[in-house]
Amino acid sequence: MRKKKTSNDQPSIGVAECVRRTGLTARALRVYERRGLIRPSRAPNGWRVYGHADLIRLNAIVALKGLGLTLGQIREVLTGSPPALRNVLYMQLAVWQKRRAATDEGAALVRAALANLDIRRDLPIDDLCKLARKMEMTHLREATREAINETVSAEEERAWLTWWSRRPAEETEQMQQYALSQRSVLAELARLSAEGASPTSPEAQALAQRWSGNLTRYNVRSRLLDALAWNATVTRKWLRVGERITARTAAGQWKDPCRNIWQFLHAALKASPLGRASAALLAEAQELATGGAAARASEAASLASRFDELARRYELGDPVVYARWCRAMGSLSDTGEWVDLAPTERAAWDYLIGIADARAG
């Protein structure tokens, strides 16, 4: 694209060239503009163009992100007068120094490992674990901060951390264990999908069962219901953060890892015995709800009994909690995000909640 000229005769560039020359994505540019961090000019044809001042701000944004600031915090820093280029460069220097310190620490571990190899023929398991942990934690921190900055504001991040700080410590530990377990499942699903396996294959179905089992094992459904009751908007945003981190770290070698891995999981869950049995019960509940069957009618009682049996067979925990979670969370989409159910599906889950409550009472 031909370069445009700004009012001060500095050249400006279009979106495609900005993406190519800075390494930023077009999506990131749109997010920064939507959050008020940049305000690109418009060419006569209406296309966005980025001038000298825009590029200075983009440098400031990526530097501040490297220091760990959220987009909301970056907006506060950049509010007012445009940042001086010298100050931006000092911020970038601080980021590189911080990264160099982390790199030096990792390099020291590797040098120590090489020195050990000069003495012995192999490395102890403990040393190998330390090396892997250092690399993995660095990658995970970067992916986590990027996902947070893309999804939540500074205020939402503070609110979420404050809410969790008031929960029992063991809940946080269990949720961390849950995240690790689900990343392991997704990594295996990524491998299967890359090998061309079917979501209905025995290995894929075993992984789908593990995915569902982790939700029960770590009591995730009850905790998410608590969080949704506290603040549904913020909780759903943090769910998106977790989903993006999990997919990116589990399948980073894919061209479009997030979408492919969630498509595979979605298909495996839908085809699983639990998925098919749940769909059949939901269809029956929808029919009874539409027909106005009372919660204690014979048909409803039979359905409640079979729902209770399904919860036991597939280790779902309390069937009421499971139904409330399904209704609140919605459906897992092919992109890994939870989308709202259709009104008829919500009504069917409400019916199942009602008859399960009646049975328990």
Side-chain angles (χ1 to χ4, degrees):
M1 175 181 176
R2 186 169 59 88
K3 295 180 180 178
K4 306 291 182 182
K5 296 287 184 177
T6 58
S7 58
N8 61 0
D9 205 37
Q10 288 278 4
S12 61
I13 55 179
V15 173
E17 190 172 358
C18 186
V19 168
R20 181 179 63 82
R21 295 173 66 175
T22 65
L24 296 168
T25 65
R27 182 183 183 279
L29 294 175
R30 291 195 298 271
V31 169
Y32 298 158
E33 182 178 355
R34 189 165 62 246
R35 299 295 292 274
L37 300 176
I38 56 173
R39 295 181 178 85
S41 302
R42 297 279 182 162
N45 60 9
W47 292 356
R48 292 170 176 80
V49 291
Y50 300 85
H52 186 259
D54 298 313
L55 270 296
I56 291 178
R57 288 184 73 88
L58 286 173
N59 272 272
I61 291 166
V62 296
L64 291 168
K65 281 183 64 179
L67 290 173
L69 273 67
T70 67
L71 293 186
Q73 292 167 332
I74 292 172
R75 185 177 62 245
E76 294 175 7
V77 171
L78 298 182
T79 297
S81 302
L85 180 56
R86 181 176 294 275
N87 292 338
V88 172
L89 293 175
Y90 274 123
M91 286 190 292
Q92 290 189 336
L93 180 61
V95 173
W96 286 116
Q97 289 173 335
K98 180 180 176 182
R99 291 179 178 175
R100 183 174 66 184
T103 300
D104 289 345
E105 183 182 347
L109 284 174
V110 175
R111 281 194 293 269
L114 289 169
N116 281 337
L117 280 180
D118 291 337
I119 301 171
R120 62 186 77 181
R121 299 185 64 180
D122 209 345
L123 290 177
I125 287 179
D126 187 53
D127 287 359
L128 293 171
C129 290
K130 287 180 180 178
L131 289 166
R133 183 169 62 249
K134 181 65 178 177
M135 293 296 294
E136 175 62 18
M137 291 307 296
T138 299
H139 179 48
L140 182 58
R141 279 195 298 269
E142 292 175 353
T144 299
R145 177 45 56 187
E146 181 181 6
I148 290 172
N149 289 351
E150 289 175 350
T151 311
V152 301
S153 68
E155 296 77 13
E156 289 167 335
E157 183 174 3
R158 283 195 294 269
W160 178 257
L161 294 176
T162 299
W163 185 78
W164 268 105
S165 69
R166 294 169 180 164
R167 307 284 291 185
E170 59 268 20
E171 287 194 13
T172 302
E173 294 173 4
Q174 286 196 340
M175 290 301 285
Q176 290 171 345
Q177 293 170 1
Y178 165 76
L180 289 172
S181 297
Q182 296 300 54
R183 273 201 296 274
S184 174
V185 172
L186 282 180
E188 288 299 305
L189 287 169
R191 176 184 61 81
L192 288 178
S193 183
E195 293 172 354
S198 169
T200 61
S201 66
E203 194 171 0
Q205 286 299 299
L207 290 167
Q209 184 176 350
R210 278 178 55 193
W211 176 272
S212 179
N214 283 336
L215 288 164
T216 304
R217 184 174 303 110
Y218 297 105
N219 200 24
V220 173
R221 296 186 184 95
S222 290
R223 287 173 187 150
L224 287 180
L225 286 171
D226 289 345
L228 288 166
W230 161 70
N231 189 316
T233 300
V234 172
T235 296
R236 289 188 180 279
K237 286 188 176 184
W238 276 96
L239 283 171
R240 287 198 292 274
V241 169
E243 289 151 4
R244 289 170 182 175
I245 294 168
T246 300
R248 289 174 187 178
T249 55
Q253 77 276 16
W254 290 17
K255 180 179 179 181
D256 190 3
C258 296
R259 182 170 179 80
N260 289 338
I261 196 169
W262 290 116
Q263 282 180 333
F264 196 79
L265 173 61
H266 182 253
L269 290 170
K270 187 175 181 180
S272 70
L274 171 60
R276 289 183 280 109
S278 292
L281 283 177
L282 195 65
E284 188 174 344
Q286 184 173 327
E287 183 179 351
L288 290 175
T290 303
R296 291 193 180 275
S298 58
E299 298 93 339
S302 173
L303 180 61
S305 176
R306 283 179 281 125
F307 184 36
D308 193 55
E309 173 59 29
L310 179 140
R312 283 196 300 270
R313 181 184 305 167
Y314 297 105
E315 299 179 345
L316 302 176
D318 185 341
V320 175
V321 171
Y322 175 73
R324 287 178 57 221
W325 177 79
C326 289
R327 187 198 187 284
M329 291 298 295
S331 175
L332 184 66
S333 73
D334 286 346
T335 59
E337 295 184 3
W338 295 92
V339 296
D340 290 339
L341 297 173
T344 53
E345 289 181 285
R346 288 200 300 272
W349 281 116
D350 281 337
Y351 187 81
L352 280 173
I353 293 168
I355 63 174
D357 266 332
R359 178 178 172 82

Short mmCIF file of all heavy atoms in Angstrom, two decimals, residues 140 227 232:
data_model
loop_
_atom_site.label_atom_id
_atom_site.label_comp_id
_atom_site.label_asym_id
_atom_site.label_seq_id
_atom_site.Cartn_x
_atom_site.Cartn_y
_atom_site.Cartn_z
N LEU A 140 4.14 -19.92 30.15
CA LEU A 140 2.80 -19.79 30.73
C LEU A 140 2.55 -18.36 31.22
O LEU A 140 1.46 -17.82 31.03
CB LEU A 140 2.64 -20.78 31.88
CG LEU A 140 1.27 -20.82 32.56
CD1 LEU A 140 0.18 -21.13 31.55
CD2 LEU A 140 1.27 -21.85 33.69
N ALA A 227 -19.24 -18.04 41.50
CA ALA A 227 -18.64 -16.88 40.83
C ALA A 227 -19.64 -16.18 39.93
O ALA A 227 -19.68 -14.94 39.86
CB ALA A 227 -17.41 -17.33 40.03
N ALA A 232 -21.60 -12.21 36.97
CA ALA A 232 -21.62 -13.07 35.78
C ALA A 232 -20.74 -12.52 34.67
O ALA A 232 -20.04 -13.28 33.99
CB ALA A 232 -23.05 -13.24 35.29
#
